[in-house]
Amino acid sequence: MRVGTADRRRLTQMKKKKLNFHFADLYLSVFICGFISISTFGQTTRSGEGLGAIGDDAMLNELATRGLDVLLDRAFEVNHIPESQRQGQKALVALARLADPSAKPTAAQRQQLLAEALAGIDATLAVTNDPNLLMKQAYVLITQGAERDVNTLEYWGENPRTQASLRPVMQTVDRILAKCAERAKSLSEDAAAKITAPNSPFVARYEELERLTATAEYTRRMAAYYLALSMDSASPQRAQIASDAIEYLKQFDVPENPDRCLVRNRMAKLSLLKSDFDVARQLFASVINDSGTPKPTVAQQYEARYFSAVTEILAHNLDGAHKSLNELLSWQPMNLPSDKSSRDGADAAVSMLRYRIASQEAEQTREPAAKAQANKAAVAVLLDLLGRRPDLRGIIYDQLLPKLDDKTDLKQVDPLLLRAMVSKAEQELQKSAPNAVGAATLERGIEAGKEILRRRDQPGVDAQMVDAASLLIPFFQNRLDRKVDAAGGFLDYAETSKQSNLKNATLSLDNAQGIIGSLRADAQTREDSAVTRLYERFLPLAIAAPFKRQEFAFEYARRLQANGDAQRAIEFYRLVPPQDKRWLQATFLQLVALKQQLDDGPADSSQRTKILAETQQLADKVDSAIDSALATAKTDDERNSARSIRVRTLLLAADLARRELKDPQRALSLLNGFEKSVTGLPNADAMVNEAMYIRVQSYMSSEQYTAATDELVKLLNKTEGSQGAQIVYNLLEKLDADFDRAQQANDRPAMLTLARNRAQLSGFLVKWAEQNTEPGIRQYTYRYRVYDADTQRRAAELEDDVNLRQQRMTAALERYQALLTPASVAIYKASLSDPRAKNDPNLYDPQVTLGLALVQYDQGNWEKAAAGFSKLLTARKLGLAVNSIEENGVQKLVDNDPYWEAIYKLVRCDQKLNQGLDEAREFLKLQYVTWGEHVGGKKWKREFEQIRSELIPDFKPSPATTPAQ
């Protein structure tokens, strides 16, 4: 039998008795700190195959993950992502960051997050149905987006700019709380309908939701004061909102409500917004006189007394305002907490009252001398407050600036107002981007700052004003996109202030470095002579005394190295002094950078001999320094760090001996006992695999094929079957990387040697896997056959004899086709970890499809090759244009050569077949717009430039801001 209406009524009454109407407690009980869930919005997808389907969501996700905002925005445009989808996603992320107590955004960042939250809130509100989540969102907007503006309006008086800033926040809060109450009520009714007995589990759910409904509505009415305060005083809507809130809150003006005085103060403030001064006076008086129950707290008494004075100011009753101020001054010393923070806050608030009273006197008097005297008194109060509370200077300046005309000759302006103009411009830096008004304010701030500098050492212009103007002018110029001027100004400040104000000089130098770095990264400004001069000024200034920031050289070198600029990274690593605790790491990374020069440089470069010699010397230096580091290490982490550098140096030296010095025996000697040396180190397995790879390659280079395979078998016997097979597969991938490196360097002898070694190893691995009794190894037979087919294809590409080349290509084609049989595909599916893949009838191996398409391309079978390339690219099987890898502990972005090769050859197939050329032209444009000068990577760049000149000769792309390769 279900509970009837009377029972539900009793439940409701019971719930009401339990409600605690303490406003702060309502907030704290509902707004529990935590992450706000981020919903996933629908994404636009495109169907079909071919070049038109390749610009995909995977690229957007990858760019977003890497923080490549410029490319991400551009990708949004070319993929036609709806604006609502973009803004909705950004709104939820912004709210989560605002709610995260560990995020600690700056004021500018908080404003940006708030703007993003408001811009997309409609999209999030449409899909959010959890009332608790809605309450959290409202709380975040109130505390992070409204309270500061509310305080400004309450204590300094209403002004349109602050009201305009507050209004959209509170309108949004009102909509969120309204939906929260509505949704909680609906859910409570659903829970009530499921109650079948007084002890039903739905009773607790019902009570919780009823409480949440009441909390949301109560919070909404209390917050209605903020909403009404944000509106113009003449607005009928403002009065209506205030009246409705007062009417609702009257039910809480009862003795049993412990927060009765809180409610009375709020109703009084709401009455002020309607100009109901008598009602406001009565309500404040009831709190001040302690005339009811419960008794007001000290904070509630203070609020009532302070805003009684505000009431008289708004009522233009100056005598009453003075009287209320004097009463407040008499009451404060005996009642407010005695700590300095409380006293300072109360004193500042009193100064604000005095200023408002003086300003009101100036406004009400008609006699010029009296008006001037009142204005002077108001300014004096502000100057005194500014001296005691510099943290309020932004608000204080806001009171002063309206006295200035935009066309005022700054040479005639008082220094204080010049300072106010600079501060006003400083506030523009908090905005995400300057609009027309903001730009004008910034320009005016620059003019005022320069006028302050012109008046240096004159009366009224002190050293602090000069210092602030010198520092802020380049910030303003930077916001106005005058990058060269800004960087020059930052360098000027760092140079002139490095002795007198090292903290700000360091800040200035940091900003100069950031701007110069961005200018040098931009292809349009990289070679600009002004940028070059700035950079040449920057380096000696940053490294010289008094900065001497040892970490600067190290961090800058790391950034250069990560972006592929190994040569310049070496210069900065050399600047890291020996006493820096990272000197050993810097020296090792310098060694890595030297090796990068060898890897990336031409094989016939005259510098290679010099670099090799320097590399060997540096390796010995690192090895010697490690002995000292181990002797002085105090923790296991320090010891392991030194050991790790030693073994990584050993690997690097062995690899150089094998590849560059052509001395495989030295490589083998260096690696003697390597496994023991890495015991207990992080990534020990990976380093052992690297050593194994070098050993195998060294044996092969010495044509000791039996020793090479024995080395492999010896290692494989120490591991479980699947693990050993994976190690071998990793070895094959490293062989491929070596081959690609030799190909890029046009080192044909090395390519032939590697091709021969690959063939030897692939044949051994296929037989080893086929004949192995371990199932975990046999399952890798398929993968080794794929590798063997690729080995034959690459060997064919190196063949000079046309007929023999065609024969080898045919052999490679046969191997690939054998991998397409149902039995081979079944083996491939069985090797996958995802059980769903095994039942997918359309599943295929991308490596086989790519290899087959490449062979068909070489054989001139354009139609079949194009179908293969298109299939892979449309299904996004080849990834993006760049991959992120770790090399010797350094993260770097490298070209994804298969991706570019497939695109290039697909376009060539379209040319040969004379089809889809319009689509190819548009797709080529998209690649150049997205990736700029990095189209094709190093390996295929020349080919792409050739095909661009053929298909889109008049297209002049602007280079994109992309990760350096």
Side-chain angles (χ1 to χ4, degrees), residues 125-147:
L125 199 56
V127 297
T128 303
N129 291 307
D130 180 357
N132 285 291
L133 177 56
L134 291 167
M135 287 293 283
K136 290 180 183 179
Q137 293 174 346
Y139 174 68
V140 171
L141 290 175
I142 289 172
T143 57
Q144 301 298 323
E147 287 183 347

PDB file of all heavy atoms in Angstrom, residues 125-147:
ATOM      1  N   LEU A 125      23.996  24.657 -19.533  1.00  0.00           N
ATOM      2  CA  LEU A 125      22.756  24.627 -18.772  1.00  0.00           C
ATOM      3  C   LEU A 125      21.709  23.753 -19.454  1.00  0.00           C
ATOM      4  O   LEU A 125      20.889  23.109 -18.801  1.00  0.00           O
ATOM      5  CB  LEU A 125      22.226  26.057 -18.598  1.00  0.00           C
ATOM      6  CG  LEU A 125      21.197  26.297 -17.483  1.00  0.00           C
ATOM      7  CD1 LEU A 125      21.752  25.842 -16.148  1.00  0.00           C
ATOM      8  CD2 LEU A 125      20.813  27.758 -17.431  1.00  0.00           C
ATOM      9  N   ALA A 126      21.766  23.707 -20.772  1.00  0.00           N
ATOM     10  CA  ALA A 126      20.781  22.918 -21.523  1.00  0.00           C
ATOM     11  C   ALA A 126      20.941  21.424 -21.283  1.00  0.00           C
ATOM     12  O   ALA A 126      19.986  20.663 -21.442  1.00  0.00           O
ATOM     13  CB  ALA A 126      20.897  23.228 -23.017  1.00  0.00           C
ATOM     14  N   VAL A 127      22.133  20.990 -20.898  1.00  0.00           N
ATOM     15  CA  VAL A 127      22.376  19.544 -20.765  1.00  0.00           C
ATOM     16  C   VAL A 127      22.673  19.130 -19.324  1.00  0.00           C
ATOM     17  O   VAL A 127      22.908  17.955 -19.057  1.00  0.00           O
ATOM     18  CB  VAL A 127      23.550  19.106 -21.661  1.00  0.00           C
ATOM     19  CG1 VAL A 127      23.216  19.330 -23.117  1.00  0.00           C
ATOM     20  CG2 VAL A 127      24.836  19.839 -21.294  1.00  0.00           C
ATOM     21  N   THR A 128      22.666  20.077 -18.364  1.00  0.00           N
ATOM     22  CA  THR A 128      22.965  19.752 -16.967  1.00  0.00           C
ATOM     23  C   THR A 128      21.667  19.593 -16.193  1.00  0.00           C
ATOM     24  O   THR A 128      20.878  20.528 -16.088  1.00  0.00           O
ATOM     25  CB  THR A 128      23.820  20.865 -16.327  1.00  0.00           C
ATOM     26  OG1 THR A 128      25.005  21.047 -17.097  1.00  0.00           O
ATOM     27  CG2 THR A 128      24.196  20.483 -14.908  1.00  0.00           C
ATOM     28  N   ASN A 129      21.446  18.407 -15.633  1.00  0.00           N
ATOM     29  CA  ASN A 129      20.216  18.116 -14.899  1.00  0.00           C
ATOM     30  C   ASN A 129      20.463  17.692 -13.458  1.00  0.00           C
ATOM     31  O   ASN A 129      19.523  17.348 -12.749  1.00  0.00           O
ATOM     32  CB  ASN A 129      19.423  17.020 -15.629  1.00  0.00           C
ATOM     33  CG  ASN A 129      18.860  17.512 -16.944  1.00  0.00           C
ATOM     34  OD1 ASN A 129      18.187  18.536 -16.989  1.00  0.00           O
ATOM     35  ND2 ASN A 129      19.152  16.803 -18.020  1.00  0.00           N
ATOM     36  N   ASP A 130      21.698  17.692 -13.025  1.00  0.00           N
ATOM     37  CA  ASP A 130      22.024  17.334 -11.645  1.00  0.00           C
ATOM     38  C   ASP A 130      21.927  18.594 -10.791  1.00  0.00           C
ATOM     39  O   ASP A 130      22.722  19.517 -10.936  1.00  0.00           O
ATOM     40  CB  ASP A 130      23.436  16.756 -11.580  1.00  0.00           C
ATOM     41  CG  ASP A 130      23.833  16.373 -10.161  1.00  0.00           C
ATOM     42  OD1 ASP A 130      23.040  16.609  -9.230  1.00  0.00           O
ATOM     43  OD2 ASP A 130      24.947  15.837  -9.999  1.00  0.00           O
ATOM     44  N   PRO A 131      20.939  18.684  -9.854  1.00  0.00           N
ATOM     45  CA  PRO A 131      20.780  19.919  -9.071  1.00  0.00           C
ATOM     46  C   PRO A 131      21.986  20.228  -8.205  1.00  0.00           C
ATOM     47  O   PRO A 131      22.303  21.395  -7.967  1.00  0.00           O
ATOM     48  CB  PRO A 131      19.524  19.643  -8.233  1.00  0.00           C
ATOM     49  CG  PRO A 131      19.364  18.160  -8.220  1.00  0.00           C
ATOM     50  CD  PRO A 131      19.918  17.667  -9.519  1.00  0.00           C
ATOM     51  N   ASN A 132      22.668  19.196  -7.690  1.00  0.00           N
ATOM     52  CA  ASN A 132      23.859  19.452  -6.885  1.00  0.00           C
ATOM     53  C   ASN A 132      24.951  20.100  -7.720  1.00  0.00           C
ATOM     54  O   ASN A 132      25.654  21.006  -7.257  1.00  0.00           O
ATOM     55  CB  ASN A 132      24.372  18.148  -6.271  1.00  0.00           C
ATOM     56  CG  ASN A 132      23.504  17.687  -5.113  1.00  0.00           C
ATOM     57  OD1 ASN A 132      23.475  18.304  -4.066  1.00  0.00           O
ATOM     58  ND2 ASN A 132      22.759  16.611  -5.327  1.00  0.00           N
ATOM     59  N   LEU A 133      25.114  19.641  -8.959  1.00  0.00           N
ATOM     60  CA  LEU A 133      26.102  20.237  -9.842  1.00  0.00           C
ATOM     61  C   LEU A 133      25.726  21.678 -10.175  1.00  0.00           C
ATOM     62  O   LEU A 133      26.573  22.565 -10.230  1.00  0.00           O
ATOM     63  CB  LEU A 133      26.227  19.403 -11.124  1.00  0.00           C
ATOM     64  CG  LEU A 133      27.179  19.946 -12.186  1.00  0.00           C
ATOM     65  CD1 LEU A 133      28.571  20.138 -11.606  1.00  0.00           C
ATOM     66  CD2 LEU A 133      27.235  19.002 -13.375  1.00  0.00           C
ATOM     67  N   LEU A 134      24.438  21.930 -10.364  1.00  0.00           N
ATOM     68  CA  LEU A 134      23.988  23.288 -10.636  1.00  0.00           C
ATOM     69  C   LEU A 134      24.295  24.213  -9.460  1.00  0.00           C
ATOM     70  O   LEU A 134      24.700  25.363  -9.645  1.00  0.00           O
ATOM     71  CB  LEU A 134      22.483  23.286 -10.934  1.00  0.00           C
ATOM     72  CG  LEU A 134      22.074  22.627 -12.264  1.00  0.00           C
ATOM     73  CD1 LEU A 134      20.571  22.402 -12.299  1.00  0.00           C
ATOM     74  CD2 LEU A 134      22.499  23.487 -13.446  1.00  0.00           C
ATOM     75  N   MET A 135      24.090  23.727  -8.234  1.00  0.00           N
ATOM     76  CA  MET A 135      24.416  24.536  -7.059  1.00  0.00           C
ATOM     77  C   MET A 135      25.904  24.848  -7.004  1.00  0.00           C
ATOM     78  O   MET A 135      26.310  25.963  -6.657  1.00  0.00           O
ATOM     79  CB  MET A 135      23.987  23.794  -5.789  1.00  0.00           C
ATOM     80  CG  MET A 135      22.483  23.765  -5.564  1.00  0.00           C
ATOM     81  SD  MET A 135      21.779  25.389  -5.212  1.00  0.00           S
ATOM     82  CE  MET A 135      22.271  25.605  -3.509  1.00  0.00           C
ATOM     83  N   LYS A 136      26.726  23.866  -7.342  1.00  0.00           N
ATOM     84  CA  LYS A 136      28.170  24.097  -7.363  1.00  0.00           C
ATOM     85  C   LYS A 136      28.530  25.187  -8.370  1.00  0.00           C
ATOM     86  O   LYS A 136      29.343  26.069  -8.099  1.00  0.00           O
ATOM     87  CB  LYS A 136      28.913  22.804  -7.713  1.00  0.00           C
ATOM     88  CG  LYS A 136      28.880  21.746  -6.629  1.00  0.00           C
ATOM     89  CD  LYS A 136      29.647  20.514  -7.094  1.00  0.00           C
ATOM     90  CE  LYS A 136      29.567  19.402  -6.065  1.00  0.00           C
ATOM     91  NZ  LYS A 136      30.295  18.190  -6.512  1.00  0.00           N
ATOM     92  N   GLN A 137      27.913  25.109  -9.547  1.00  0.00           N
ATOM     93  CA  GLN A 137      28.213  26.096 -10.579  1.00  0.00           C
ATOM     94  C   GLN A 137      27.804  27.496 -10.126  1.00  0.00           C
ATOM     95  O   GLN A 137      28.535  28.477 -10.335  1.00  0.00           O
ATOM     96  CB  GLN A 137      27.500  25.723 -11.876  1.00  0.00           C
ATOM     97  CG  GLN A 137      28.035  24.446 -12.520  1.00  0.00           C
ATOM     98  CD  GLN A 137      27.225  24.018 -13.730  1.00  0.00           C
ATOM     99  OE1 GLN A 137      26.123  24.508 -13.954  1.00  0.00           O
ATOM    100  NE2 GLN A 137      27.764  23.088 -14.497  1.00  0.00           N
ATOM    101  N   ALA A 138      26.643  27.604  -9.485  1.00  0.00           N
ATOM    102  CA  ALA A 138      26.188  28.900  -8.996  1.00  0.00           C
ATOM    103  C   ALA A 138      27.154  29.440  -7.946  1.00  0.00           C
ATOM    104  O   ALA A 138      27.496  30.633  -7.933  1.00  0.00           O
ATOM    105  CB  ALA A 138      24.780  28.775  -8.413  1.00  0.00           C
ATOM    106  N   TYR A 139      27.611  28.568  -7.058  1.00  0.00           N
ATOM    107  CA  TYR A 139      28.528  28.983  -6.003  1.00  0.00           C
ATOM    108  C   TYR A 139      29.841  29.506  -6.582  1.00  0.00           C
ATOM    109  O   TYR A 139      30.368  30.532  -6.143  1.00  0.00           O
ATOM    110  CB  TYR A 139      28.795  27.811  -5.070  1.00  0.00           C
ATOM    111  CG  TYR A 139      29.857  28.102  -4.031  1.00  0.00           C
ATOM    112  CD1 TYR A 139      29.630  29.027  -3.022  1.00  0.00           C
ATOM    113  CD2 TYR A 139      31.087  27.465  -4.084  1.00  0.00           C
ATOM    114  CE1 TYR A 139      30.599  29.295  -2.071  1.00  0.00           C
ATOM    115  CE2 TYR A 139      32.069  27.733  -3.140  1.00  0.00           C
ATOM    116  CZ  TYR A 139      31.820  28.648  -2.137  1.00  0.00           C
ATOM    117  OH  TYR A 139      32.789  28.919  -1.213  1.00  0.00           O
ATOM    118  N   VAL A 140      30.368  28.802  -7.575  1.00  0.00           N
ATOM    119  CA  VAL A 140      31.613  29.228  -8.199  1.00  0.00           C
ATOM    120  C   VAL A 140      31.454  30.616  -8.813  1.00  0.00           C
ATOM    121  O   VAL A 140      32.307  31.496  -8.653  1.00  0.00           O
ATOM    122  CB  VAL A 140      32.071  28.214  -9.267  1.00  0.00           C
ATOM    123  CG1 VAL A 140      33.240  28.764 -10.067  1.00  0.00           C
ATOM    124  CG2 VAL A 140      32.460  26.895  -8.615  1.00  0.00           C
ATOM    125  N   LEU A 141      30.340  30.842  -9.497  1.00  0.00           N
ATOM    126  CA  LEU A 141      30.128  32.142 -10.136  1.00  0.00           C
ATOM    127  C   LEU A 141      29.945  33.253  -9.098  1.00  0.00           C
ATOM    128  O   LEU A 141      30.415  34.381  -9.291  1.00  0.00           O
ATOM    129  CB  LEU A 141      28.917  32.071 -11.060  1.00  0.00           C
ATOM    130  CG  LEU A 141      29.114  31.231 -12.331  1.00  0.00           C
ATOM    131  CD1 LEU A 141      27.805  31.134 -13.110  1.00  0.00           C
ATOM    132  CD2 LEU A 141      30.198  31.830 -13.211  1.00  0.00           C
ATOM    133  N   ILE A 142      29.285  32.937  -7.980  1.00  0.00           N
ATOM    134  CA  ILE A 142      29.088  33.958  -6.946  1.00  0.00           C
ATOM    135  C   ILE A 142      30.420  34.330  -6.303  1.00  0.00           C
ATOM    136  O   ILE A 142      30.776  35.507  -6.200  1.00  0.00           O
ATOM    137  CB  ILE A 142      28.087  33.461  -5.878  1.00  0.00           C
ATOM    138  CG1 ILE A 142      26.667  33.411  -6.469  1.00  0.00           C
ATOM    139  CG2 ILE A 142      28.106  34.381  -4.659  1.00  0.00           C
ATOM    140  CD1 ILE A 142      25.654  32.763  -5.552  1.00  0.00           C
ATOM    141  N   THR A 143      31.162  33.320  -5.881  1.00  0.00           N
ATOM    142  CA  THR A 143      32.384  33.602  -5.125  1.00  0.00           C
ATOM    143  C   THR A 143      33.516  34.093  -6.002  1.00  0.00           C
ATOM    144  O   THR A 143      34.295  34.963  -5.594  1.00  0.00           O
ATOM    145  CB  THR A 143      32.842  32.351  -4.364  1.00  0.00           C
ATOM    146  OG1 THR A 143      33.040  31.268  -5.302  1.00  0.00           O
ATOM    147  CG2 THR A 143      31.823  31.943  -3.327  1.00  0.00           C
ATOM    148  N   GLN A 144      33.628  33.560  -7.205  1.00  0.00           N
ATOM    149  CA  GLN A 144      34.750  33.912  -8.070  1.00  0.00           C
ATOM    150  C   GLN A 144      34.427  35.038  -9.046  1.00  0.00           C
ATOM    151  O   GLN A 144      35.337  35.672  -9.569  1.00  0.00           O
ATOM    152  CB  GLN A 144      35.214  32.683  -8.861  1.00  0.00           C
ATOM    153  CG  GLN A 144      35.649  31.523  -7.994  1.00  0.00           C
ATOM    154  CD  GLN A 144      36.836  31.874  -7.127  1.00  0.00           C
ATOM    155  OE1 GLN A 144      37.737  32.595  -7.531  1.00  0.00           O
ATOM    156  NE2 GLN A 144      36.839  31.369  -5.902  1.00  0.00           N
ATOM    157  N   GLY A 145      33.134  35.267  -9.295  1.00  0.00           N
ATOM    158  CA  GLY A 145      32.786  36.247 -10.320  1.00  0.00           C
ATOM    159  C   GLY A 145      31.983  37.434  -9.856  1.00  0.00           C
ATOM    160  O   GLY A 145      31.852  38.419 -10.595  1.00  0.00           O
ATOM    161  N   ALA A 146      31.403  37.364  -8.631  1.00  0.00           N
ATOM    162  CA  ALA A 146      30.477  38.425  -8.234  1.00  0.00           C
ATOM    163  C   ALA A 146      30.915  39.198  -6.995  1.00  0.00           C
ATOM    164  O   ALA A 146      30.706  40.415  -6.919  1.00  0.00           O
ATOM    165  CB  ALA A 146      29.080  37.826  -8.000  1.00  0.00           C
ATOM    166  N   GLU A 147      31.481  38.524  -6.011  1.00  0.00           N
ATOM    167  CA  GLU A 147      31.640  39.150  -4.703  1.00  0.00           C
ATOM    168  C   GLU A 147      32.524  40.397  -4.728  1.00  0.00           C
ATOM    169  O   GLU A 147      32.251  41.375  -4.027  1.00  0.00           O
ATOM    170  CB  GLU A 147      32.190  38.127  -3.706  1.00  0.00           C
ATOM    171  CG  GLU A 147      31.129  37.100  -3.312  1.00  0.00           C
ATOM    172  CD  GLU A 147      31.628  36.111  -2.276  1.00  0.00           C
ATOM    173  OE1 GLU A 147      32.849  36.067  -2.039  1.00  0.00           O
ATOM    174  OE2 GLU A 147      30.797  35.379  -1.719  1.00  0.00           O
TER     175      GLU A 147
END
